């Protein structure tokens, strides 16, 4: 077994010692049937932003817009390419392209390999890079270097960074041998979605949403969630991104709209108790990032506490930057909050995140 102790409040082992699906296990045949029963109007809504949005890299300096280019053979770019250059007399014209894409640039799923924690799974006092259900960094989730455990200097700032190259791996390689996003693709991520419109209840101002505010929003929207449901939160952020037409204003984006308060322990406990199978929002990180509350005594803490709780402890997939405005308008007009959600990620083995084109059907 990969662990002798599990994090407090986690569900490691509850779905089996080798589970890689986490709370997505709760989406079974009954949840899919319940989702299908919500199809009454026969109307479908695309819940993805155009995948070249937000534009630039203002939201995350590591992530860049997709870059399309032609495929090539014999140094010939196959775009508007007459096949007569290969087959004498042929009349076909071929266009064939490829893409360089940051998998979590736009509308996305986070896999369970996206956020782990420095944790002591063996109970021997030694911290290890650990992911959901005890899977290990540098063993199951592989990158080109071993970063080592972070240290602090005399002033409490991060100490020198001395990565160690890992033999036998290309300098730019990464692969999740466990917990990759392909597991969610095989599962299908189809079932009943429930929309809670935070923007309708609280407006578009910059604010944190804790347990009390979420309960207020559920009541105001007339929404209830049951185990196996996928919960979607609209803040208006993706609509704001869309309105900027690929030229995002980072100052405005970082000071607009609601986000969950990942430091609210009652909110995290509600996520555990609710039995939801996935948590989705139309904003950048679902939770407020960076957090506005951090320990002042130098004690260890997660910068992404909701990610740690959901991905690391519960195996609860997170969706980010989904576009929910048109679906919200349609559901409001009908007095509904539930719908059929179909949202499989790419079946790309070893990937840690994935763009997604979710479809809601009402």
């Amino acid at each position: 077994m990969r662990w002798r102790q599990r994090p407090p409040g986690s569900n490691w082992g509850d779905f089996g010692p080798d589970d890689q699906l986490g709370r997505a296990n709760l989406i079974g045949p009954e949840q899919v049937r319940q989702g299908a029963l919500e199809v009454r109007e026969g109307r479908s809504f695309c819940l993805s932003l155009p995948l070249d949005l937000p534009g630039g890299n203002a939201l995350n300096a590591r992530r860049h817009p997709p870059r399309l280019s032609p495929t090539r053979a014999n140094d010939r770019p196959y775009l508007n390419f007459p096949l007569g250059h290969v087959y004498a007399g042929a009349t076909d014209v071929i266009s064939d392209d490829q893409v360089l894409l940051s998998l979590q640039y736009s509308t996305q799923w986070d896999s369970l390999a996206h956020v782990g924690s420095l944790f002591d799974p063996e109970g021997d006092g030694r911290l290890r890079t650990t992911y959901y259900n005890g899977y290990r960094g540098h063993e199951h989730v592989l990158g080109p270097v071993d970063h080592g455990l972070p240290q602090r200097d005399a002033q409490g700032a991060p100490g020198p960074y001395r990565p160690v190259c890992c033999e036998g791996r290309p300098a730019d390689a990464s692969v999740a041998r466990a917990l990759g996003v392909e597991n969610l693709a095989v599962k299908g991520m189809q079932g009943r979605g429930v929309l809670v419109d935070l923007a309708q209840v609280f407006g578009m101002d910059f604010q944190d949403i804790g347990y009390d505010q979420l309960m207020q929003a559920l009541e105001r929207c007339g929404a209830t969630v049951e185990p196996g449901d996928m919960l979607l939160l609209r803040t208006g952020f993706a609509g704001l991104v869309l309105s900027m037409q690929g030229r995002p204003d980072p100052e405005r984006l970082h000071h607009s709209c609601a986000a969950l308060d990942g430091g609210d322990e009652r909110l995290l406990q509600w996520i555990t108790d609710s039995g939801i199978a996935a948590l989705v929002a139309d904003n950048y990180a679902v939770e407020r990032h960076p957090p506005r509350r951090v320990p002042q005594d130098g004690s260890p803490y997660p910068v992404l506490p909701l990610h740690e709780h959901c991905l690391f402890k519960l195996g609860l997939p997170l969706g980010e930057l989904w576009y929910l405005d048109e679906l919200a308008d349609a559901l409001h007009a009908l007095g509904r909050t539930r719908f059929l959600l179909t949202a499989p990620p790419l079946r790309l083995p070893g990937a840690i995140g994935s763009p997604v084109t979710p479809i809601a059907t009402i």
Side-chain angles (χ1 to χ4, degrees):
M1 196 163 181
R2 288 176 302 279
W3 51 274
R4 288 187 171 87
Q5 64 178 6
R6 66 184 189 177
S10 76
N11 61 5
W12 292 12
D14 289 2
F15 297 110
D18 299 317
D19 176 60
Q20 298 185 46
L21 281 175
R23 289 269 282 264
N25 281 289
L26 298 178
I27 305 173
E30 181 58 29
Q31 285 69 38
V32 177
R33 284 192 291 267
Q34 289 172 351
L37 290 174
E38 299 296 334
V39 179
R40 307 170 198 170
E41 309 292 323
R43 298 169 61 192
S44 296
F45 296 85
C46 176
L47 307 185
S48 175
L49 288 168
L51 292 182
D52 59 354
L53 294 182
N57 62 342
L59 287 183
N60 188 316
R62 302 188 311 271
R63 299 171 183 170
H64 298 271
R67 184 169 63 85
L68 295 167
S69 62
T71 58
R72 307 178 79 92
N74 300 318
D75 205 32
R76 298 169 174 174
Y78 269 60
L79 207 81
N80 301 316
F81 182 78
L83 278 184
H85 290 300
V86 179
Y87 304 100
T91 59
D92 318 58
V93 175
I94 296 296
S95 290
D96 192 30
D97 59 354
Q98 58 193 349
V99 63
L100 178 64
L101 174 68
S102 296
L103 295 177
Q104 291 166 276
Y105 179 75
S106 186
T107 302
Q108 66 186 263
W109 277 119
D110 290 345
S111 82
L112 306 187
H114 177 49
V115 170
S117 184
L118 296 178
F119 178 66
D120 174 19
E122 299 293 338
D124 59 4
R126 179 185 168 195
L127 297 178
R128 297 168 173 85
T129 301
T130 314
Y131 294 88
Y132 168 74
N133 218 10
Y135 288 99
R136 306 287 176 84
H138 314 299
E139 179 182 351
H140 304 105
V141 181
L142 302 176
V145 301
D146 183 343
H147 298 284
L149 295 182
Q151 306 296 323
R152 300 187 189 189
D153 63 19
Q155 287 72 44
Y161 171 58
R162 298 188 179 97
V164 178
C165 292
C166 298
E167 294 294 329
R169 295 186 214 157
D172 59 351
S174 68
V175 63
R177 291 179 176 168
L179 304 178
V181 80
E182 72 273 14
N183 294 286
L184 301 181
V186 173
K187 179 63 178 176
M189 302 310 289
Q190 182 181 60
R192 186 167 64 190
V194 180
L195 180 74
V196 175
D197 195 340
L198 299 177
Q200 183 190 48
V201 176
F202 298 111
M204 298 277 288
D205 291 342
F206 182 86
Q207 57 196 299
D208 292 350
I209 301 297
Y211 171 82
D212 290 333
Q213 291 84 2
L214 182 59
M215 294 305 102
Q216 180 183 347
L218 284 164
E219 182 177 359
R220 288 272 300 275
C221 293
T224 57
V225 294
E226 299 175 24
D229 285 344
M230 291 179 274
L231 177 61
L232 284 69
L233 304 176
R234 176 180 175 264
T235 70
F237 188 93
L240 188 58
V241 167
L242 188 63
S243 73
M244 293 179 178
Q245 299 181 321
R247 296 181 295 276
D249 178 347
E251 179 69 18
R252 186 179 174 199
L253 286 175
H254 286 304
H255 294 87
S256 297
C257 302
L260 293 183
D261 178 4
D264 186 334
E265 292 294 336
R266 289 197 300 159
L267 174 64
L268 300 184
Q269 187 61 51
W270 180 86
I271 291 171
T272 297
D273 296 340
S274 68
I276 57 173
L279 178 59
V280 171
D282 65 348
N283 60 14
Y284 167 58
V286 183
E287 64 182 308
R288 178 67 62 210
H289 178 66
R292 293 198 278 175
R293 296 184 298 170
V294 298
Q296 300 301 308
D297 59 2
S299 59
Y301 72 97
V303 173
L304 295 163
L306 186 140
H307 278 65
E308 182 190 68
H309 185 76
C310 292
L311 296 175
F312 172 63
K313 292 185 178 182
L314 300 181
L316 176 68
L318 297 176
E320 301 174 10
L321 280 173
W322 291 30
Y323 176 63
L324 304 176
D325 289 7
E326 293 171 4
L327 172 65
D329 289 343
L331 290 174
H332 293 330
L334 295 167
R336 295 171 53 183
T337 61
R338 294 176 168 185
F339 53 94
L340 172 65
L341 177 62
T342 305
L346 297 177
R347 191 175 182 178
L348 181 57
I352 287 169
S354 173
V356 60
T357 303
I359 300 296
T361 310
I362 63 174

